[in-house]
Amino acid sequence: MISKELLDILVCPETKAELVLDGNTLVSTDKATRRRYRIEDDIPIMLIEESEQLSIEEWTDIMKKYGKTV
């Protein structure tokens, strides 16, 4: 599990946007890129080329779930 302290300092490597912890992934709050980074063995894989770009619908649902402004 990622600690709150680590989550507070991690940002999207592409846009420097805040990240939200969603299950075993970190999701960028940047609407333009909508990146999702996986977490393996409690280590976030923060490589842009290893990330997934979410659909606008899926990204919006995740942001609403965590109370982020869309």
Side-chain angles (χ1 to χ4, degrees):
M1 179 58 111
I2 291 188
S3 70
K4 168 97 169 86
E5 293 80 20
L6 180 57
L7 186 57
D8 286 344
I9 60 172
L10 285 177
V11 295
C12 175
E14 183 173 17
T15 64
K16 309 304 181 234
E18 177 186 357
L19 298 167
V20 295
L21 181 61
D22 182 48
N24 206 31
T25 63
L26 294 169
V27 180
S28 173
T29 58
D30 182 72
K31 186 176 186 175
T33 59
R34 304 180 309 277
R35 296 268 179 214
R36 175 163 50 196
Y37 301 92
R38 71 185 188 283
I39 300 170
E40 293 182 0
D41 298 322
D42 294 331
I43 300 170
I45 310 301
M46 303 300 294
L47 300 170
I48 296 166
E49 58 272 7
E50 297 276 330
S51 71
E52 171 187 7
Q53 187 169 36
L54 299 173
S55 69
I56 190 70
E57 294 83 11
E58 188 173 9
W59 179 86
T60 299
D61 288 346
I62 292 169
M63 292 301 111
K64 286 180 180 176
K65 182 163 108 177
Y66 295 100
K68 300 295 179 184
T69 305
V70 180

